[in-house]
Amino acid sequence: MDFEALHSASFTSLDTTVSDWTKMLTKLTDLKADAKDGLHGKASKANWAGYNATVSREFIGKTAEEFNDAYTQAESIRNIMRDTQGELKTQQRLLKEAIERGRGNHMSVKPAGSGFTVTPNPDPKPANGQKDVDALRDELQGILDKATEMDSTAATSLKALVDLTDYGFSGQKYADRDSAANAIREAENLARIAKKNPEDLTVKEFDTLNAGLKKYSGDELFAERFAEQLGPKGTLEFWAGIADPYTNRDVYVERREQLGDLQKNLSLTLATATQADTPEMHRWKGEMTDLGSQPISKNSTTQGFQVMSNLMRWGNFDDQFLKSYGSELMETEKAATSNGRHGATVWTRMGMDPNLNHTGEDSGSDPMIGYLKALSNSPDAATDFFNDPFLSKDEDHDFKEEDAKTGKEVKASLSNFDYLFEERDWPPERDKDGDDSISGRNNLAMALEAATTGHPAGELPTLDTPAHNAEQAELAKNVMVSISENPERLTEHSYMSDSVGQIAAEYMPDINRGMYAGKESGNDLFPVVGEPAKIPEVDITRFLYAVGQNPEGYAAVNAGQAAYTTSLMEYHFANPEAFVKDPNFSDNDNLKQAIEGVAKVSGEVQGTIGAGRAFASEEEGGVKDQDFNDAIETTSTWVGSGVGIGVGLATAPFIGPGGIVAGGLAGTAVDEILGGLTEGALKDSSGEVIYRNGQEIDATRQSTYTLVETAAEKAGESAKNPSPAIVDAAANAAEQGFNNARTNLSDFIDGEGTPRQLEPKK
């Protein structure tokens, strides 16, 4: 900064700018409130249907969220400018005070070009002569240097903040100029450490890098600058080197236990960086994708995909990057497997290969595992990926199907889902204990959970979770039909059942509709907002029987069905005119028909998963019974969380006359049922519990009737329309549904209780 510019600066314009931004924040506060309570609030309660239910509703939600980001970005800009304003005024004051002190000590300060001169008076001279002149000069230069840094870092921070997004606003918040400038400075410092030859990295530098990434991984300015400075190739070389015990023995021995933390912190940082829309990050993402199929160095057999996929296991990566990356990864997979003819031996870890994953779950050699974990955090990208084609009928491959018209065997087309869930020969992997790793298919299940539900795996749906779209619904159907065709796809990998059970829980409207005998009226009785998953009844039955054999899967479906049944009953009790079985019936008669229909399907679902549970318990000699009880107990976290109305209803809100949302009614009754359900897992007295557990299928029969009966009772009370007669009818209908489940199961289960494999659907 020029001496004269600081000395004579008028801060009027800057004062006005800061004031204008402060006023803007007031306006944005009002807009943010209007967007949340008005735009988004009304959209959540509106009677959406068809295209609007999936696209417009979600768009309005994202638009409303942009107002939050707009406020945050405006606040950060105001804070940086206000902080800089105060700091520059301070430096101007210090400059003038120093000049005055110099004048009192017989020295003159004058502008000279962009700088200044300090001249001693000839008579009288400064007290300490040239020493005082030099001291004043250094003090003034220090003030100018500090002002220059403030001005420069403010400009850099503001530009970087605005450049983070091409469209919309950044949600990154900074309290002042220092915090933004420090983030950029720290990113550059840590990138310099990471760019060193991994052989030369010290333990102290490792600790500095790990601590810095942990602190700043969610900071957008930091993450973007760090990734850009390190570069795609530098990122791959750094992790491959530091994770290899033979590259830097000192660091590996001293910090082996911290490598997992560094992997996580680096992954979170890169995920944040990919959300930036800067030209530098666009290039970074493109180059990283291009490097995926290439060896990371001249003498290495490790490919870029193998390294980068292990740095994608945490965080929310940019959807478009995940799509492009996934497309290239699958092309590499096709080349490595000769279009799926054999296993991907290129991904098999050999003795001297580096251990690229330090989570202890697997070695990290198979890039599909880390990539699928990334998809589990990014629902939209996951949906697109699984629905994308893997092999077309025109390509050279060995997968066949029967032509529906001619009956002849022809080439099949496979989606990424078909290949990964049904056909892939997964490379052998070991966990830290030397046992067979489950992380490949487990991450696949989590990615499918995200892809079908619209929210990250492991989370619960909320009222803001968008309705299922056509792509999600079709994928959910494919998952269920695939397991129905060959249940061992799930039962031989039962650890996938928690995610698969969650999928079933969130598609309860679709499952109930598919199991209801009166298909036409079922559309009214079990409404689905958004795109319904049209699953054949036989596939639903076989699917639920398979899911019910695992404690986690059983618990998710059990609680999901209980919550959905109660919510739906509560709606019908509150709106007895909503379901019309016969126009000549009274509202009460139609209500009875509605509650009976809901109860009957609920009994059928409970009977089906109960049979699966009984089969699993018998196979284990009753040892698993406590596992099932323990799993049900974990669903207690749903009570009071809103998920009582969220499972099934949040993802497909039940809209009735006048735009009333069942979710707005349900709550207390659902929480009571779920609370009783989880408490019942710990007791074994039908006089004390709502739900009673037992090894034999008949032991769940009475529990089912009691559950449905109590749900009807609580729903009627909550809706202020109790009817003991309808409650009794609900219990009888549940019994009929339970018996129907056993009849349905007998059609395809052998005497041993094992489901027979169906011929694949054409």
Side-chain angles (χ1 to χ4, degrees):
M1 177 173 288
D2 288 356
F3 170 84
E4 185 60 26
L6 180 61
H7 183 267
S8 303
S10 170
F11 293 100
T12 302
S13 296
L14 186 56
D15 293 342
T16 301
T17 301
V18 171
S19 176
D20 288 344
W21 276 102
T22 301
K23 293 176 183 176
M24 177 64 74
L25 287 177
T26 302
K27 296 177 182 178
L28 286 173
T29 299
D30 295 336
L31 288 172
K32 185 172 65 168
D34 289 343
K36 178 182 178 182
D37 301 330
L39 182 68
H40 197 197
K42 291 178 181 178
S44 297
K45 298 176 182 177
N47 189 354
W48 297 105
Y51 187 79
N52 283 331
T54 53
V55 178
S56 298
R57 188 169 183 264
E58 182 179 3
F59 171 76
I60 287 175
K62 290 181 177 179
T63 301
E65 189 61 32
E66 280 292 326
F67 284 97
N68 284 329
D69 289 343
Y71 178 90
T72 301
Q73 182 166 325
E75 185 180 32
S76 294
I77 291 172
R78 191 281 308 272
N79 290 346
I80 293 171
M81 295 185 69
R82 184 175 62 184
D83 192 44
T84 306
Q85 169 197 40
E87 290 177 330
L88 288 177
K89 286 182 177 180
T90 297
Q91 296 309 305
Q92 185 187 60
R93 176 178 59 79
L94 293 175
L95 185 76
K96 291 181 176 180
E97 288 175 353
I99 292 172
E100 283 302 311
R101 287 199 311 275
R103 183 178 291 113
N105 193 21
H106 315 298
M107 291 178 286
S108 300
V109 179
K110 296 181 179 179
S114 61
F116 63 93
T117 60
V118 179
T119 306
N121 292 342
D123 187 24
K125 295 180 180 181
N128 297 304
Q130 188 62 35
K131 184 177 180 180
D132 286 345
V133 173
D134 293 343
L136 178 59
R137 181 199 62 209
D138 292 344
E139 181 183 1
L140 294 175
Q141 189 60 53
I143 294 171
L144 282 178
D145 290 344
K146 195 165 186 179
T148 301
E149 180 189 7
M150 293 171 179
D151 186 56
S152 175
T153 55
T156 300
S157 300
L158 289 171
K159 185 177 186 305
L161 184 62
V162 173
D163 285 347
L164 283 174
T165 55
D166 279 346
Y167 305 100
F169 305 92
S170 166
Q172 188 63 50
K173 184 175 182 178
Y174 295 102
D176 50 41
R177 178 196 61 82
D178 283 346
S179 59
N182 287 341
I184 295 174
R185 186 182 302 112
E186 189 70 5
E188 293 172 346
N189 291 338
L190 295 181
R192 276 193 290 271
I193 294 175
K195 287 170 74 172
K196 292 181 62 175
N197 189 324
E199 296 178 2
D200 301 328
L201 200 71
T202 66
V203 172
K204 183 178 180 180
E205 288 172 328
F206 177 98
D207 292 341
T208 299
L209 184 60
N210 197 18
L213 292 176
K214 180 179 181 179
K215 178 179 179 180
Y216 287 101
S217 61
D219 188 297
E220 295 178 24
L221 286 183
F222 170 88
E224 191 278 340
R225 185 59 60 93
F226 176 84
E228 181 233 318
Q229 292 285 306
L230 184 55
K233 189 170 181 59
T235 301
L236 299 177
E237 290 175 343
F238 166 74
W239 182 246
I242 204 65
D244 185 355
Y246 304 103
T247 299
N248 189 324
R249 195 65 182 168
D250 290 341
V251 169
Y252 193 87
V253 170
E254 293 290 329
R255 292 294 181 265
R256 182 177 181 177
E257 297 301 318
Q258 284 74 49
L259 279 170
D261 291 335
L262 179 60
Q263 181 184 355
K264 177 181 179 180
N265 295 330
L266 182 54
S267 177
L268 290 170
T269 301
L270 296 177
T272 302
T274 61
Q275 298 293 342
D277 283 332
T278 63
E280 292 79 9
M281 281 311 300
H282 282 298
R283 284 194 295 272
W284 190 97
K285 288 180 278 191
E287 289 176 16
M288 181 61 80
T289 301
D290 291 341
L291 290 170
S293 59
Q294 302 175 28
I296 59 171
S297 63
K298 185 176 180 180
N299 298 319
S300 176
T301 58
T302 301
Q303 293 190 19
F305 283 131
Q306 292 176 285
V307 181
M308 184 58 202
S309 288
N310 286 290
L311 300 177
M312 301 172 79
R313 295 179 184 238
W314 296 269
N316 180 20
F317 282 80
D318 172 61
D319 284 352
Q320 192 54 55
F321 170 60
L322 288 176
K323 293 174 188 178
S324 300
Y325 185 96
S327 294
E328 289 302 314
L329 175 58
M330 295 307 282
E331 287 298 318
T332 304
E333 174 91 4
K334 287 166 66 173
T337 62
S338 186
N339 284 350
R341 287 188 174 90
H342 54 74
T345 55
V346 68
W347 306 138
T348 302
R349 183 171 185 252
M350 307 305 288
M352 295 298 291
D353 289 340
N355 185 3
L356 296 169
N357 175 41
H358 285 267
T359 65
E361 298 171 348
D362 56 88
S363 72
S365 289
D366 183 358
M368 206 66 67
I369 299 176
Y371 175 68
L372 289 170
K373 187 62 170 63
L375 289 182
S376 74
N377 295 321
S378 300
D380 291 344
T383 305
D384 287 347
F385 171 79
F386 284 117
N387 284 311
D388 279 346
F390 178 68
L391 289 169
S392 71
K393 294 182 178 181
D394 298 328
E395 292 182 85
D396 178 25
H397 63 78
D398 296 337
F399 299 104
K400 305 291 184 180
E401 67 179 357
E402 185 180 290
D403 186 271
K405 294 182 179 179
T406 66
K408 295 181 179 179
E409 194 175 67
V410 296
K411 281 187 176 181
S413 60
L414 272 68
S415 67
N416 285 338
F417 164 75
D418 296 329
Y419 172 71
L420 292 173
F421 195 75
E422 300 178 354
E423 305 294 350
R424 189 181 195 235
D425 185 6
W426 290 77
E429 277 288 351
R430 300 286 180 182
D431 61 22
K432 63 181 179 180
D433 298 320
D435 298 325
D436 290 337
S437 173
I438 67 170
S439 58
R441 285 188 174 88
N442 196 45
N443 287 358
L444 171 61
M446 289 194 293
L448 286 170
E449 179 185 344
T452 54
T453 64
H455 60 75
E459 295 184 6
L460 297 174
T462 69
L463 288 174
D464 289 333
T465 303
H468 300 143
N469 59 37
E471 291 74 22
Q472 292 168 337
E474 183 66 18
L475 183 59
K477 172 189 173 182
N478 291 341
V479 170
M480 296 183 202
V481 170
S482 179
I483 292 171
S484 167
E485 289 175 355
N486 184 357
E488 289 185 354
R489 289 171 180 156
L490 180 64
T491 57
E492 290 295 306
H493 313 287
S494 62
Y495 47 80
M496 301 171 70
S497 296
D498 55 347
S499 288
V500 175
Q502 189 65 31
I503 293 171
E506 297 189 39
Y507 277 82
M508 271 304 150
D510 315 71
I511 287 174
N512 278 251
R513 178 186 286 191
M515 298 187 81
Y516 184 65
K519 300 300 182 185
E520 293 300 323
S521 57
N523 292 349
D524 297 325
L525 189 59
F526 304 103
V528 177
V529 172
E531 192 70 25
K534 299 175 182 178
I535 316 140
E537 184 176 2
V538 64
D539 290 311
I540 294 175
T541 300
R542 290 171 59 90
F543 166 75
L544 290 177
Y545 182 74
V547 176
Q549 295 176 40
N550 174 269
E552 286 76 22
Y554 174 86
V557 176
N558 196 19
Q561 179 65 25
Y564 178 66
T565 295
T566 309
S567 298
L568 205 53
M569 284 183 172
E570 187 172 6
Y571 174 81
H572 282 298
F573 272 110
N575 300 275
E577 75 286 355
F579 177 76
V580 179
K581 178 72 173 180
D582 188 323
N584 297 316
F585 284 1
S586 67
D587 282 350
N588 193 65
D589 288 335
N590 280 316
L591 172 61
K592 180 174 177 290
Q593 294 287 331
I595 298 301
E596 284 181 327
V598 173
K600 184 177 178 181
V601 175
S602 181
E604 193 169 342
V605 171
Q606 292 286 352
T608 306
I609 61 173
R613 169 181 172 158
F615 173 70
S617 294
E618 291 163 6
E619 287 288 288
E620 297 291 330
V623 176
K624 272 194 173 183
D625 205 49
Q626 187 60 46
D627 294 337
F628 280 91
N629 292 347
D630 292 343
I632 292 175
E633 188 180 357
T634 65
T635 62
S636 62
T637 57
W638 297 10
V639 178
S641 67
V643 81
I645 57 173
V647 174
L649 290 176
T651 51
F654 184 39
I655 308 298
I660 298 174
V661 184
L665 294 169
T668 303
V670 173
D671 285 347
E672 286 190 51
I673 292 298
L674 287 175
L677 181 70
T678 55
E679 291 169 9
L682 306 178
K683 302 177 183 178
D684 194 27
S685 171
S686 60
E688 298 179 2
V689 302
I690 286 179
Y691 191 84
R692 181 167 172 244
N693 298 293
Q695 178 180 333
E696 300 294 336
I697 186 171
D698 286 340
T700 65
R701 183 190 299 271
Q702 184 61 43
S703 300
T704 296
Y705 310 155
T706 306
L707 171 68
V708 173
E709 186 178 32
T710 307
E713 179 184 358
K714 297 295 183 183
E717 291 174 356
S718 180
K720 295 180 173 57
N721 184 23
S723 174
I726 292 179
V727 171
D728 290 341
N732 292 330
E735 179 179 8
Q736 183 181 351
F738 195 94
N739 292 333
N740 287 348
R742 299 197 68 174
T743 301
N744 294 340
L745 289 167
S746 66
D747 291 339
F748 65 86
I749 293 179
D750 60 26
E752 301 281 321
T754 305
R756 295 189 294 271
Q757 184 167 321
L758 294 179
E759 290 297 320
K761 298 289 185 298
K762 305 301 180 188

